[in-house]
Amino acid sequence: MAAEIQNSNPTILNEADLPTRQRPAPPRKPGVYDGGIFAPAFPSPPHLSDPLAVSTYFSAESDSDDDNLMEEPIDEQEIYDLVSTISDPEHPISLGSLAVVSLPDISIKPSLPNNPDSPLRTVTVLITPTITHCSLATVIGLGVRVRLEQSLPPRFRVDVRIKEGTHSTAEEVNKQLADKERVAAALENGTLMGVIGKMLETCQ
């Protein structure tokens, strides 16, 4: 962590205006069977009380619906939802609210252009530091990379880079973020991983 805050007055976007599919679920209204004299006659299904129990409450049709949901492709909005709630290492504010990550700067493309039917995909996230000389740009990039590598299936390759023209040492930072050996060595640093862990605590 820096000894003093480098950008003490960053521009902050209203979180309610950020693009997302993640909406808080409405509170559940109490049902007629939630308690009272009906409770013993209507026990909870076993799959709710025992996570290892095999449920017989779902039909084959619902299983098919679940399969269709599982096959829904991961898109740029989902990637944004994964990384926008990461906290900035200097401020208790999300990367989305600081516009360090934004939806237009996220792309998903085939990893093998000559074989577009391959399931391999490359997720590219361009980062815009709040100031052009931010010394924590590499830490932010590592945080985004760790979050995506922990959340996405193995068929996704992660490419995190500083957006062109937004940082004075973008080329050097990008080399660090693209070098697998340097990234692996950095992630073995306990102090650095403590900072990244703190950044990821706010992820939804």
Side-chain angles (χ1 to χ4, degrees):
M1 294 292 290
E4 61 182 53
I5 294 179
Q6 299 172 48
N7 184 8
S8 58
N9 189 26
T11 301
I12 303 172
L13 305 178
N14 188 336
E15 289 213 18
D17 296 331
L18 300 178
T20 183
R21 287 200 190 99
Q22 296 179 346
R23 298 295 179 199
R28 190 175 72 88
K29 295 180 180 178
V32 70
Y33 304 122
D34 282 353
I37 62 172
F38 294 106
F42 296 92
S44 299
H47 66 282
L48 295 182
S49 56
D50 181 1
L52 300 179
V54 177
S55 171
T56 58
Y57 284 77
F58 299 108
S59 65
E61 183 178 351
S62 67
D63 288 343
S64 175
D65 290 343
D66 289 343
D67 289 342
N68 290 336
L69 288 174
M70 292 290 287
E71 293 171 3
E72 184 176 337
I74 294 173
D75 62 6
E76 288 82 358
Q77 179 64 66
E78 188 164 349
I79 300 300
Y80 178 80
D81 285 341
L82 286 172
V83 301
S84 63
T85 53
I86 299 172
S87 287
D88 181 85
E90 283 190 315
H91 306 280
I93 303 168
S94 71
L95 297 185
S97 294
L98 291 170
V100 173
V101 295
S102 58
L103 187 55
D105 291 333
I106 297 173
S107 64
I108 303 175
K109 296 181 180 178
S111 298
L112 305 173
N114 295 333
N115 185 11
D117 293 331
S118 168
L120 297 178
R121 293 289 182 269
T122 297
V123 175
T124 300
V125 178
L126 301 181
I127 294 173
T128 303
T130 58
I131 49 175
T132 57
H133 56 278
C134 177
S135 64
L136 297 173
T138 304
V139 176
I140 294 172
L142 285 172
V144 171
R145 183 172 182 138
V146 168
R147 170 66 168 158
L148 292 178
E149 289 181 347
Q150 288 179 347
S151 305
L152 296 175
R155 65 187 181 88
F156 284 90
R157 299 175 181 176
V158 177
D159 177 22
V160 179
R161 286 182 273 137
I162 303 297
K163 190 173 182 179
E164 187 176 354
T166 65
H167 196 273
S168 56
T169 61
E171 185 176 351
E172 177 59 29
V173 173
N174 289 339
K175 282 182 180 178
Q176 291 179 337
L177 293 174
D179 188 323
K180 292 183 179 179
E181 290 185 1
R182 293 173 78 174
V183 168
L187 297 183
E188 290 178 0
N189 181 309
T191 302
L192 178 58
M193 284 307 297
V195 173
I196 292 175
K198 194 75 175 173
M199 292 168 60
L200 301 185
E201 283 181 357
T202 54
C203 290
Q204 300 173 358

